Amino acid sequence: QEGFGSDFSSGASSGKMDPGTIMEQVKVQIAVANAQELLQRMTDKCFKKCIGKPGSTLDNSEQKCIAMCMDRYMDAWNTVSRAYNSRLQRERARI
Amino acid sequence: MADFSSSFDMPSASLSENAEAAELQRLIAVEQQKAQFQAQVHNFTDVCWDKCVDKPSSKLDSRTEICLVSCVERFIDTTLTITNRFTQMVQKGAH
């Protein structure tokens, strides 16, 4: 077996791509999209919670609040993930 | 064997290439399902953060944790209630 494409574009024209490589790229792309979504929502929530009237810089208390908020948001995300997973398992068990 | 068609071009592919493409599609479908789960967690966390988290603190207290779990459960219940009632409304010819 020869001619492994190193990216999607060369793979399509030179023949087969290694399925392992494809799956790796799919997983990476999904993970990147997930991280972007997390950051966007986290920024939205933490800006709302931590920044009152926007000043000329982020002061110390605002910085600390943002750091704490990030940690709490990720804690919340994990709690929600577990809760949703439990519910899905419960629903599947009923079928 | 020189075959320049992509492995997803079914009619000219060999039996093993078909099987490989089908397996790849199955693996990708699994990753997509995981991604859908993550997307739902983002949505729930967004909504439930607003309902349950007041001031970001040094850790997520148990009251907040319980609120988040209940929030996910009740949001799903609400979705099901709305879906069921809406279906009934449509069947009765409501507009």
Side-chain angles (χ1 to χ4, degrees):
Chain A
Q1 211 176 9
E2 55 211 295
F4 289 91
S6 60
D7 56 57
F8 282 120
S9 55
S10 60
S13 55
S14 64
K16 284 188 284 251
M17 259 185 86
D18 172 25
T21 309
I22 294 177
M23 284 316 297
E24 256 175 63
Q25 291 189 354
V26 166
K27 286 182 190 178
V28 164
Q29 285 180 353
I30 290 176
V32 165
N34 187 51
Q36 283 177 333
E37 189 67 27
L38 180 71
L39 286 180
Q40 190 178 62
R41 307 234 193 182
M42 187 191 282
T43 303
D44 186 83
K45 297 302 182 194
C46 293
F47 184 82
K48 286 199 177 99
K49 287 255 186 261
C50 292
I51 280 79
K53 196 167 159 81
S56 54
T57 59
L58 290 176
D59 66 37
N60 267 335
S61 65
E62 285 168 334
Q63 299 260 19
K64 272 199 203 137
C65 178
I66 291 168
M68 254 195 332
C69 177
M70 284 178 69
D71 290 344
R72 298 297 76 75
Y73 193 85
M74 288 188 280
D75 289 342
W77 200 97
N78 287 330
T79 300
V80 168
S81 178
R82 281 191 301 267
Y84 184 40
N85 193 47
S86 299
R87 178 60 182 259
L88 285 176
Q89 311 256 43
R90 232 177 303 136
E91 295 293 333
R92 281 188 197 129
R94 289 200 311 147
I95 295 168
Chain B
M1 181 171 37
D3 178 36
F4 293 105
S5 61
S6 90
S7 51
F8 293 95
D9 185 6
M10 302 292 236
S12 58
S14 71
L15 210 57
S16 68
E17 283 170 343
N18 274 341
E20 199 175 83
E23 175 63 10
L24 198 56
Q25 282 180 326
R26 191 189 67 82
L27 288 174
I28 288 175
V30 167
E31 293 305 312
Q32 280 178 327
Q33 203 175 48
K34 286 188 207 166
Q36 261 179 332
F37 176 87
Q38 308 261 38
Q40 276 293 53
V41 175
H42 284 303
N43 286 331
F44 293 149
T45 305
D46 196 306
V47 169
C48 295
W49 173 272
D50 290 341
K51 283 249 180 258
C52 296
V53 178
D54 186 28
K55 283 193 176 327
S57 53
S58 49
K59 85 178 203 81
L60 229 50
D61 65 33
S62 57
R63 196 183 55 157
T64 311
E65 287 258 5
I66 291 168
C67 178
L68 287 167
V69 173
S70 301
C71 176
V72 172
E73 296 278 350
R74 299 298 77 75
F75 191 94
I76 293 171
D77 291 341
T78 304
T79 306
L80 293 173
T81 302
I82 289 176
T83 305
N84 289 335
R85 187 158 188 276
F86 187 74
T87 305
Q88 287 171 12
M89 288 167 70
V90 166
Q91 284 170 348
K92 285 189 190 140
H95 37 247

